[in-house]
Amino acid sequence: SFNSAGISFAGVPVVRIGRNEHVAWVSTNNICSQRDLYAERTNPDHPSCFLYGDQWEPELTLEEVILVKGEEPITKTIRFSRNGPIVNEILPLNDAFDEPISLRWVGRHEPGWMEGLLAMNHARSVPELIEASRDWNIPTQSSVFADRDGHIAYRTNGRIPIRKNWTSGFRPGLDPEHDWEEYIPFESLPELVDPPRGWV
């Protein structure tokens, strides 16, 4: 349903960077923070729970079965706090952590990049390319657009969380002050359309 040329990744059914008969688009990484690590509080008196504020919240679990060719399937139980999955097992130097470490990441829910790229491959104008980037949640990208009518634009794509407390390192999972409030609105992300100087 579209006619595009450019580059993609193996197995991805859309052009990642390229053009169709009407528009062209290109993007590169825009390194914005879309994840946080939280040190969770546990207590033997409250098994399978994590402290949040002054309440003990039960953990959630998910059984994952990993199929391995020529071997027996591997079953993993993934534990979750309100902030996300417990990831100690995959952290470097995981023996150094006394508490469970959870990962909150924008991409855990709706990445949106496939929908965004599909809409870009169908786009017929710079405004349509900009609107297509609305669905793009991860990863954050800096994109440049152009169309056959001579319009050009720069756009930051991606969902960037707003934090009450800006800090580096591990956040305390029990402290509501370290929750994400919301995301920067799409309309507030950096954008430049048809600058008078004629280039982005």
PDB file of all heavy atoms in Angstrom, residues 36-57:
ATOM      1  N   ASP A  36      14.244   4.759  34.238  1.00  0.00           N
ATOM      2  CA  ASP A  36      14.820   4.958  35.567  1.00  0.00           C
ATOM      3  C   ASP A  36      14.938   3.616  36.261  1.00  0.00           C
ATOM      4  O   ASP A  36      14.109   2.714  36.048  1.00  0.00           O
ATOM      5  CB  ASP A  36      13.950   5.887  36.425  1.00  0.00           C
ATOM      6  CG  ASP A  36      14.136   7.350  36.091  1.00  0.00           C
ATOM      7  OD1 ASP A  36      15.305   7.774  35.925  1.00  0.00           O
ATOM      8  OD2 ASP A  36      13.133   8.072  36.006  1.00  0.00           O
ATOM      9  N   LEU A  37      15.957   3.482  37.103  1.00  0.00           N
ATOM     10  CA  LEU A  37      16.126   2.312  37.955  1.00  0.00           C
ATOM     11  C   LEU A  37      15.718   2.688  39.374  1.00  0.00           C
ATOM     12  O   LEU A  37      16.099   3.750  39.881  1.00  0.00           O
ATOM     13  CB  LEU A  37      17.572   1.820  37.930  1.00  0.00           C
ATOM     14  CG  LEU A  37      18.039   1.216  36.603  1.00  0.00           C
ATOM     15  CD1 LEU A  37      19.542   1.014  36.618  1.00  0.00           C
ATOM     16  CD2 LEU A  37      17.327  -0.100  36.318  1.00  0.00           C
ATOM     17  N   TYR A  38      14.951   1.801  40.013  1.00  0.00           N
ATOM     18  CA  TYR A  38      14.450   2.039  41.363  1.00  0.00           C
ATOM     19  C   TYR A  38      14.951   0.949  42.307  1.00  0.00           C
ATOM     20  O   TYR A  38      14.870  -0.240  41.985  1.00  0.00           O
ATOM     21  CB  TYR A  38      12.920   2.028  41.389  1.00  0.00           C
ATOM     22  CG  TYR A  38      12.286   3.216  40.720  1.00  0.00           C
ATOM     23  CD1 TYR A  38      12.104   3.262  39.344  1.00  0.00           C
ATOM     24  CD2 TYR A  38      11.839   4.295  41.476  1.00  0.00           C
ATOM     25  CE1 TYR A  38      11.509   4.354  38.733  1.00  0.00           C
ATOM     26  CE2 TYR A  38      11.239   5.401  40.868  1.00  0.00           C
ATOM     27  CZ  TYR A  38      11.082   5.415  39.498  1.00  0.00           C
ATOM     28  OH  TYR A  38      10.491   6.498  38.892  1.00  0.00           O
ATOM     29  N   ALA A  39      15.449   1.366  43.479  1.00  0.00           N
ATOM     30  CA  ALA A  39      15.781   0.423  44.550  1.00  0.00           C
ATOM     31  C   ALA A  39      14.513   0.200  45.365  1.00  0.00           C
ATOM     32  O   ALA A  39      13.972   1.133  45.960  1.00  0.00           O
ATOM     33  CB  ALA A  39      16.901   0.985  45.420  1.00  0.00           C
ATOM     34  N   GLU A  40      14.044  -1.039  45.348  1.00  0.00           N
ATOM     35  CA  GLU A  40      12.782  -1.363  46.015  1.00  0.00           C
ATOM     36  C   GLU A  40      13.037  -1.824  47.455  1.00  0.00           C
ATOM     37  O   GLU A  40      14.064  -2.435  47.751  1.00  0.00           O
ATOM     38  CB  GLU A  40      12.039  -2.460  45.248  1.00  0.00           C
ATOM     39  CG  GLU A  40      11.726  -2.108  43.805  1.00  0.00           C
ATOM     40  CD  GLU A  40      10.654  -1.045  43.645  1.00  0.00           C
ATOM     41  OE1 GLU A  40      10.044  -0.635  44.665  1.00  0.00           O
ATOM     42  OE2 GLU A  40      10.415  -0.625  42.503  1.00  0.00           O
ATOM     43  N   ARG A  41      12.090  -1.541  48.348  1.00  0.00           N
ATOM     44  CA  ARG A  41      12.194  -1.939  49.749  1.00  0.00           C
ATOM     45  C   ARG A  41      11.341  -3.182  49.999  1.00  0.00           C
ATOM     46  O   ARG A  41      10.160  -3.210  49.637  1.00  0.00           O
ATOM     47  CB  ARG A  41      11.713  -0.793  50.639  1.00  0.00           C
ATOM     48  CG  ARG A  41      11.783  -1.065  52.135  1.00  0.00           C
ATOM     49  CD  ARG A  41      13.194  -1.008  52.689  1.00  0.00           C
ATOM     50  NE  ARG A  41      13.849   0.262  52.383  1.00  0.00           N
ATOM     51  CZ  ARG A  41      13.693   1.373  53.088  1.00  0.00           C
ATOM     52  NH1 ARG A  41      12.894   1.399  54.140  1.00  0.00           N
ATOM     53  NH2 ARG A  41      14.344   2.468  52.747  1.00  0.00           N
ATOM     54  N   THR A  42      11.962  -4.206  50.587  1.00  0.00           N
ATOM     55  CA  THR A  42      11.245  -5.436  50.947  1.00  0.00           C
ATOM     56  C   THR A  42      11.427  -5.683  52.440  1.00  0.00           C
ATOM     57  O   THR A  42      12.249  -5.045  53.102  1.00  0.00           O
ATOM     58  CB  THR A  42      11.771  -6.640  50.150  1.00  0.00           C
ATOM     59  OG1 THR A  42      13.178  -6.787  50.410  1.00  0.00           O
ATOM     60  CG2 THR A  42      11.551  -6.458  48.659  1.00  0.00           C
ATOM     61  N   ASN A  43      10.646  -6.640  52.959  1.00  0.00           N
ATOM     62  CA  ASN A  43      10.726  -6.973  54.375  1.00  0.00           C
ATOM     63  C   ASN A  43      10.196  -8.389  54.554  1.00  0.00           C
ATOM     64  O   ASN A  43       9.130  -8.716  54.003  1.00  0.00           O
ATOM     65  CB  ASN A  43       9.900  -5.978  55.200  1.00  0.00           C
ATOM     66  CG  ASN A  43      10.087  -6.146  56.688  1.00  0.00           C
ATOM     67  OD1 ASN A  43       9.867  -7.228  57.236  1.00  0.00           O
ATOM     68  ND2 ASN A  43      10.485  -5.066  57.358  1.00  0.00           N
ATOM     69  N   PRO A  44      10.920  -9.254  55.309  1.00  0.00           N
ATOM     70  CA  PRO A  44      10.426 -10.630  55.515  1.00  0.00           C
ATOM     71  C   PRO A  44       9.042 -10.694  56.148  1.00  0.00           C
ATOM     72  O   PRO A  44       8.328 -11.687  55.991  1.00  0.00           O
ATOM     73  CB  PRO A  44      11.484 -11.247  56.445  1.00  0.00           C
ATOM     74  CG  PRO A  44      12.703 -10.391  56.296  1.00  0.00           C
ATOM     75  CD  PRO A  44      12.204  -9.013  55.959  1.00  0.00           C
ATOM     76  N   ASP A  45       8.666  -9.648  56.886  1.00  0.00           N
ATOM     77  CA  ASP A  45       7.332  -9.640  57.496  1.00  0.00           C
ATOM     78  C   ASP A  45       6.225  -9.412  56.462  1.00  0.00           C
ATOM     79  O   ASP A  45       5.045  -9.589  56.768  1.00  0.00           O
ATOM     80  CB  ASP A  45       7.234  -8.549  58.568  1.00  0.00           C
ATOM     81  CG  ASP A  45       8.144  -8.824  59.753  1.00  0.00           C
ATOM     82  OD1 ASP A  45       8.465 -10.005  59.986  1.00  0.00           O
ATOM     83  OD2 ASP A  45       8.545  -7.858  60.426  1.00  0.00           O
ATOM     84  N   HIS A  46       6.618  -8.989  55.268  1.00  0.00           N
ATOM     85  CA  HIS A  46       5.653  -8.745  54.189  1.00  0.00           C
ATOM     86  C   HIS A  46       6.176  -9.423  52.923  1.00  0.00           C
ATOM     87  O   HIS A  46       6.629  -8.762  51.985  1.00  0.00           O
ATOM     88  CB  HIS A  46       5.472  -7.241  53.955  1.00  0.00           C
ATOM     89  CG  HIS A  46       5.023  -6.503  55.173  1.00  0.00           C
ATOM     90  ND1 HIS A  46       3.699  -6.435  55.559  1.00  0.00           N
ATOM     91  CD2 HIS A  46       5.728  -5.824  56.117  1.00  0.00           C
ATOM     92  CE1 HIS A  46       3.610  -5.733  56.671  1.00  0.00           C
ATOM     93  NE2 HIS A  46       4.817  -5.355  57.029  1.00  0.00           N
ATOM     94  N   PRO A  47       6.144 -10.757  52.892  1.00  0.00           N
ATOM     95  CA  PRO A  47       6.732 -11.475  51.752  1.00  0.00           C
ATOM     96  C   PRO A  47       6.029 -11.129  50.443  1.00  0.00           C
ATOM     97  O   PRO A  47       4.827 -10.860  50.416  1.00  0.00           O
ATOM     98  CB  PRO A  47       6.545 -12.947  52.123  1.00  0.00           C
ATOM     99  CG  PRO A  47       5.453 -12.970  53.139  1.00  0.00           C
ATOM    100  CD  PRO A  47       5.534 -11.666  53.866  1.00  0.00           C
ATOM    101  N   SER A  48       6.832 -11.127  49.382  1.00  0.00           N
ATOM    102  CA  SER A  48       6.320 -10.860  48.032  1.00  0.00           C
ATOM    103  C   SER A  48       5.623  -9.507  47.941  1.00  0.00           C
ATOM    104  O   SER A  48       4.649  -9.358  47.202  1.00  0.00           O
ATOM    105  CB  SER A  48       5.371 -11.981  47.576  1.00  0.00           C
ATOM    106  OG  SER A  48       6.025 -13.223  47.620  1.00  0.00           O
ATOM    107  N   CYS A  49       6.122  -8.531  48.678  1.00  0.00           N
ATOM    108  CA  CYS A  49       5.568  -7.179  48.638  1.00  0.00           C
ATOM    109  C   CYS A  49       6.700  -6.166  48.509  1.00  0.00           C
ATOM    110  O   CYS A  49       7.848  -6.429  48.871  1.00  0.00           O
ATOM    111  CB  CYS A  49       4.778  -6.871  49.912  1.00  0.00           C
ATOM    112  SG  CYS A  49       3.240  -7.804  50.077  1.00  0.00           S
ATOM    113  N   PHE A  50       6.325  -4.991  47.999  1.00  0.00           N
ATOM    114  CA  PHE A  50       7.249  -3.862  47.928  1.00  0.00           C
ATOM    115  C   PHE A  50       6.604  -2.679  48.633  1.00  0.00           C
ATOM    116  O   PHE A  50       5.402  -2.448  48.505  1.00  0.00           O
ATOM    117  CB  PHE A  50       7.546  -3.484  46.473  1.00  0.00           C
ATOM    118  CG  PHE A  50       8.196  -4.592  45.686  1.00  0.00           C
ATOM    119  CD1 PHE A  50       7.474  -5.290  44.734  1.00  0.00           C
ATOM    120  CD2 PHE A  50       9.519  -4.933  45.896  1.00  0.00           C
ATOM    121  CE1 PHE A  50       8.064  -6.310  44.002  1.00  0.00           C
ATOM    122  CE2 PHE A  50      10.121  -5.949  45.173  1.00  0.00           C
ATOM    123  CZ  PHE A  50       9.393  -6.645  44.223  1.00  0.00           C
ATOM    124  N   LEU A  51       7.417  -1.922  49.375  1.00  0.00           N
ATOM    125  CA  LEU A  51       6.908  -0.766  50.102  1.00  0.00           C
ATOM    126  C   LEU A  51       6.748   0.417  49.157  1.00  0.00           C
ATOM    127  O   LEU A  51       7.649   0.740  48.374  1.00  0.00           O
ATOM    128  CB  LEU A  51       7.869  -0.401  51.233  1.00  0.00           C
ATOM    129  CG  LEU A  51       7.399   0.701  52.189  1.00  0.00           C
ATOM    130  CD1 LEU A  51       6.116   0.290  52.915  1.00  0.00           C
ATOM    131  CD2 LEU A  51       8.503   1.033  53.192  1.00  0.00           C
ATOM    132  N   TYR A  52       5.580   1.056  49.235  1.00  0.00           N
ATOM    133  CA  TYR A  52       5.337   2.293  48.484  1.00  0.00           C
ATOM    134  C   TYR A  52       4.633   3.253  49.429  1.00  0.00           C
ATOM    135  O   TYR A  52       3.527   2.963  49.904  1.00  0.00           O
ATOM    136  CB  TYR A  52       4.483   2.041  47.249  1.00  0.00           C
ATOM    137  CG  TYR A  52       4.205   3.304  46.465  1.00  0.00           C
ATOM    138  CD1 TYR A  52       5.218   3.933  45.754  1.00  0.00           C
ATOM    139  CD2 TYR A  52       2.939   3.878  46.474  1.00  0.00           C
ATOM    140  CE1 TYR A  52       4.978   5.111  45.046  1.00  0.00           C
ATOM    141  CE2 TYR A  52       2.689   5.052  45.759  1.00  0.00           C
ATOM    142  CZ  TYR A  52       3.707   5.659  45.055  1.00  0.00           C
ATOM    143  OH  TYR A  52       3.477   6.822  44.366  1.00  0.00           O
ATOM    144  N   GLY A  53       5.264   4.392  49.736  1.00  0.00           N
ATOM    145  CA  GLY A  53       4.727   5.267  50.772  1.00  0.00           C
ATOM    146  C   GLY A  53       4.772   4.521  52.090  1.00  0.00           C
ATOM    147  O   GLY A  53       5.826   4.037  52.509  1.00  0.00           O
ATOM    148  N   ASP A  54       3.612   4.358  52.716  1.00  0.00           N
ATOM    149  CA  ASP A  54       3.563   3.579  53.957  1.00  0.00           C
ATOM    150  C   ASP A  54       2.738   2.307  53.781  1.00  0.00           C
ATOM    151  O   ASP A  54       2.263   1.724  54.755  1.00  0.00           O
ATOM    152  CB  ASP A  54       3.003   4.431  55.104  1.00  0.00           C
ATOM    153  CG  ASP A  54       1.606   4.970  54.806  1.00  0.00           C
ATOM    154  OD1 ASP A  54       1.068   4.650  53.722  1.00  0.00           O
ATOM    155  OD2 ASP A  54       1.056   5.689  55.652  1.00  0.00           O
ATOM    156  N   GLN A  55       2.578   1.865  52.534  1.00  0.00           N
ATOM    157  CA  GLN A  55       1.775   0.673  52.245  1.00  0.00           C
ATOM    158  C   GLN A  55       2.648  -0.412  51.599  1.00  0.00           C
ATOM    159  O   GLN A  55       3.523  -0.111  50.785  1.00  0.00           O
ATOM    160  CB  GLN A  55       0.629   1.013  51.283  1.00  0.00           C
ATOM    161  CG  GLN A  55      -0.340   2.046  51.800  1.00  0.00           C
ATOM    162  CD  GLN A  55      -1.181   1.509  52.947  1.00  0.00           C
ATOM    163  OE1 GLN A  55      -1.620   0.366  52.919  1.00  0.00           O
ATOM    164  NE2 GLN A  55      -1.384   2.339  53.969  1.00  0.00           N
ATOM    165  N   TRP A  56       2.381  -1.662  51.966  1.00  0.00           N
ATOM    166  CA  TRP A  56       3.053  -2.796  51.316  1.00  0.00           C
ATOM    167  C   TRP A  56       2.174  -3.271  50.169  1.00  0.00           C
ATOM    168  O   TRP A  56       1.029  -3.666  50.375  1.00  0.00           O
ATOM    169  CB  TRP A  56       3.297  -3.925  52.315  1.00  0.00           C
ATOM    170  CG  TRP A  56       4.354  -3.558  53.312  1.00  0.00           C
ATOM    171  CD1 TRP A  56       4.168  -3.073  54.565  1.00  0.00           C
ATOM    172  CD2 TRP A  56       5.759  -3.632  53.099  1.00  0.00           C
ATOM    173  NE1 TRP A  56       5.376  -2.830  55.154  1.00  0.00           N
ATOM    174  CE2 TRP A  56       6.374  -3.163  54.283  1.00  0.00           C
ATOM    175  CE3 TRP A  56       6.572  -4.029  52.026  1.00  0.00           C
ATOM    176  CZ2 TRP A  56       7.759  -3.097  54.436  1.00  0.00           C
ATOM    177  CZ3 TRP A  56       7.944  -3.967  52.170  1.00  0.00           C
ATOM    178  CH2 TRP A  56       8.525  -3.504  53.351  1.00  0.00           C
ATOM    179  N   GLU A  57       2.701  -3.189  48.948  1.00  0.00           N
ATOM    180  CA  GLU A  57       1.942  -3.575  47.760  1.00  0.00           C
ATOM    181  C   GLU A  57       2.416  -4.938  47.266  1.00  0.00           C
ATOM    182  O   GLU A  57       3.626  -5.159  47.137  1.00  0.00           O
ATOM    183  CB  GLU A  57       2.128  -2.545  46.641  1.00  0.00           C
ATOM    184  CG  GLU A  57       1.603  -1.177  46.992  1.00  0.00           C
ATOM    185  CD  GLU A  57       1.751  -0.182  45.852  1.00  0.00           C
ATOM    186  OE1 GLU A  57       2.572  -0.425  44.934  1.00  0.00           O
ATOM    187  OE2 GLU A  57       1.048   0.832  45.875  1.00  0.00           O
TER     188      GLU A  57
END
